[in-house]
Amino acid sequence: MGALSAELSNQLLSTFGNRFSISQALREQHGHGESHHAQAIPDAVVFAQSTDDVVETVRLCSAAGVPVIAFGAGTSLEGHLTAVHGGVSIDLSQMSQIIRVSAEDLDCTVQAGVTREQLNAHLRDQGLFFPIDPGANATIGGMAATRASGTNAVRYGTMRENVLSLTVVLPSGKVIRTGGRARKSSAGYDLTRLFVGSEGTLGIITEVTLRLQGVPETISAALCSFESVEQAVSAAIAIVQLSIPVARMELMDRSLITAANAYSGLSLRIEDTLAFEFHGSPVSVQEQVELVAEIVTDHGGKDFEWANAPEERNRLWKARHNAFYAVVSQRPNARGWSSDVCVPVSELSGCILKTRALLENCSVPAAILGHVGDGNYHVVFAVDPDNKAELAEVAAINKKMVEHAISVGGTSTGEHGVGTGKIGYLRQEHGDAVELMALIKNAIDPKGIMNPGKILPG
């Protein structure tokens, strides 16, 4: 792949003016996400404001054989944004237009740079909301590109279930739409699902059409603590197996509770904890609450602590969303290493107990949390990025956790994506299907300019 030549630099400057930059500070900002992965900075940054801007950038870079890396809010955790082969970072954050909302059809179309918080603020007065909630105020384009999910996944699913169609700029500069607004289609290949989760390696998502939900009539939230993580996970599994439609069911181990209390100014009981949220009519919510209360009591859970007022619920979930930063804040100048796996719910208890055992002698602060209702859990470590021994120790723990998850029918990543961080596990998980992925990549992106070095080995 080619480097950014003076000719290409002049072409981009002529086209975009002050929305093109080779500033060292901007390039460094666009060369990493939130996690511990080493920075790899692009040669230049272009701030796109429309699909046409992305088309022109991709067209010029394709002609020169220069890589392009899509950048949204910079919240990714597995090295998706690093410019491992240099190139041009296309910042989509100024593509922040909510193009249309259809309350009747419960859908909307937004530009890729719209954030989830921005969208939900816009929808609030219409009695609607977008339920996918990965914690960070990520962009919708980035969430689609990484197939994100979050705390509401147990009831509302992930981006895979909630994206109806995409506008995508291909490596050639051609623009396609992957579908319409119909809730189902049997026409041709499912291109929407191909690009959801492709992490910018097949094309750049510029517009997204999403499913929406009506704001529930009643919302109730609660915390329940347990003397052991095994009890908490067993209760969560029982709730899932009885098909109780909880909206959120989050595990926070006692290490995380300690960190969250300090970081968010809370005074939660320092025990392994499940946090719940219930959505529906007053009658259905009451029924859910009673069933869940009975189950958690049977599994050793202690009294519910209710958070029914909106400000109390928001404070609770903000503390959960800040879990990454809460763990990292326990050490000066630390970086976060956040890993996630997802396993069949029947395997969840064994996997979390194995992970807890791996953490017993870990020399760095670490905590377990996760969306246990769908078998997805995370471990967050606070690491010194310059301490090679420490990084090797955490890498070894991460490797054992991931390989065990795959061995019981799970996946190396439930929602963070592959990026550069999970490439080494792809063949172990997918076998010869990786070769088919490579064929698809080479067919769509023969020059290999789309976010190279991500997802696929080699």
Side-chain angles (χ1 to χ4, degrees), residues 129-457:
F129 80 114
F130 179 62
I132 310 306
D133 177 12
N137 189 25
T139 62
I140 298 298
M143 290 168 63
T146 56
R147 203 187 297 126
S149 57
T151 58
N152 281 318
V154 63
R155 177 159 183 167
Y156 298 103
T158 72
M159 289 299 282
R160 180 182 65 187
E161 291 79 33
N162 287 278
V163 173
L164 292 171
S165 68
L166 301 165
T167 299
V168 181
V169 178
L170 298 178
S172 63
K174 186 174 183 178
V175 180
I176 63 166
R177 283 192 61 79
T178 64
R181 292 172 55 205
R183 289 302 173 108
K184 61 180 182 177
S185 172
S186 298
Y189 299 140
D190 191 345
L191 296 179
T192 301
R193 301 300 171 268
L194 176 63
F195 285 96
V196 171
S198 63
E199 301 181 17
T201 63
L202 302 178
I204 295 180
I205 296 167
T206 60
E207 293 180 7
V208 187
T209 297
L210 300 164
R211 297 173 184 261
L212 301 176
Q213 301 287 333
V215 174
E217 181 182 0
T218 301
I219 301 175
S220 185
L223 291 172
C224 185
S225 58
F226 298 80
E227 291 184 1
S228 73
V229 72
E230 184 175 16
Q231 290 178 320
V233 175
S234 294
I237 292 170
I239 291 164
V240 171
Q241 291 175 337
L242 287 173
S243 300
I244 300 171
V246 295
R248 287 168 159 162
M249 183 164 55
E250 293 287 302
L251 171 70
M252 298 182 284
D253 81 349
R254 61 190 63 211
S255 297
L256 178 58
I257 295 294
T258 300
N261 280 347
Y263 186 81
S264 299
L266 302 176
S267 55
L268 303 177
R269 185 180 297 168
I270 300 174
E271 291 189 311
D272 299 305
T273 300
L274 288 177
F276 300 95
E277 191 164 277
F278 308 94
H279 293 179
S281 68
V283 172
S284 69
V285 166
Q286 183 62 32
E287 182 180 72
Q288 292 172 50
V289 168
E290 290 174 358
L291 288 169
V292 168
E294 182 178 344
I295 290 168
V296 298
T297 300
D298 288 344
H299 287 82
K302 300 175 183 176
D303 292 341
F304 278 118
E305 295 181 31
W306 293 99
N308 290 329
E311 59 273 15
E312 293 173 346
R313 292 199 315 271
N314 291 339
R315 192 176 183 209
L316 166 63
W317 292 115
K318 185 175 182 181
R320 164 58 185 87
H321 290 151
N322 285 337
F324 178 86
Y325 305 106
V327 174
V328 176
S329 71
Q330 295 176 100
R331 294 183 71 188
N333 303 314
R335 294 283 291 181
W337 179 322
S338 181
S339 183
D340 81 307
V341 296
C342 191
V343 298
V345 171
S346 61
E347 299 287 349
L348 185 61
S349 182
C351 287
I352 290 183
L353 288 175
K354 183 176 180 65
T355 300
R356 170 65 69 86
L358 290 171
L359 297 180
E360 281 183 1
N361 297 314
C362 182
S363 66
V364 306
I368 300 173
L369 60 148
H371 326 306
V372 288
D374 57 8
N376 184 203
Y377 71 95
H378 312 248
V379 179
V380 180
F381 302 88
V383 299
D384 176 353
D386 298 319
N387 187 323
K388 292 182 180 179
E390 200 169 279
L391 294 176
E393 176 191 2
V394 173
I397 294 172
N398 179 61
K399 184 174 188 290
K400 290 176 181 177
M401 181 179 79
V402 171
E403 289 184 343
H404 182 70
I406 293 172
S407 75
V408 298
T411 175
S412 62
T413 173
E415 63 182 28
H416 293 173
V418 175
T420 59
K422 294 289 179 67
I423 285 179
Y425 305 106
L426 204 65
R427 185 167 291 278
Q428 184 177 346
E429 182 173 338
H430 291 290
D432 291 342
V434 174
E435 295 170 9
L436 180 58
M437 295 181 196
L439 286 173
I440 294 169
K441 165 72 172 173
N442 292 335
I444 295 174
D445 183 20
K447 294 183 178 180
I449 66 166
M450 284 286 168
N451 205 10
K454 317 299 166 56
I455 296 185
L456 292 168

Side-chain angles (χ1 to χ4, degrees), residues 114-125:
V114 171
T115 68
R116 67 170 186 86
E117 290 183 2
Q118 176 193 351
L119 176 59
N120 277 321
H122 182 86
L123 295 171
R124 190 174 297 125
D125 291 343

